[in-house]
Amino acid sequence: MGICQIQLMVVREDLQAGSLVELLPDWVPRAGIIHAALPSRRGMLPSVRALLEFLASEYALLGRP
C-alpha cells in the first residue's frame, strides 16, 4: 500500500473498477509542461504520431493545456 501521483489516463479504468481509490480528491498538482523530445518530425513512425495524439487528447480531457 502507498500513495503516489499518477496520471488519470493511466489509472482511469482502475478507479472506475474500484481497484484503486482516490485519496485526496481536492488536491491538485501544480500545472506543468510536458515535452516530447524527438530528433525530427520527418520520418516519424505512425505509432509515435498516434501516441502523441493520444496523449494530447487525454490531457485535453483533464481540462489542461
Side-chain angles (χ1 to χ4, degrees):
M1 296 184 144
I3 297 173
C4 66
Q5 177 184 339
I6 303 176
Q7 293 88 2
L8 181 59
M9 67 183 178
V10 175
V11 296
R12 181 178 288 129
E13 291 178 7
D14 295 308
L15 288 169
Q16 291 172 345
S19 57
L20 288 178
V21 178
E22 186 174 11
L23 296 178
L24 303 169
D26 296 329
W27 182 79
V28 178
R30 289 186 311 183
I33 297 172
I34 296 174
H35 296 276
L38 303 169
S40 171
R41 286 184 176 238
R42 193 171 78 149
M44 184 185 299
L45 294 173
S47 58
V48 174
R49 184 175 306 280
L51 173 64
L52 295 175
E53 290 172 1
F54 170 76
L55 292 173
S57 67
E58 287 294 316
Y59 277 97
L61 291 175
L62 297 174
R64 297 183 181 143

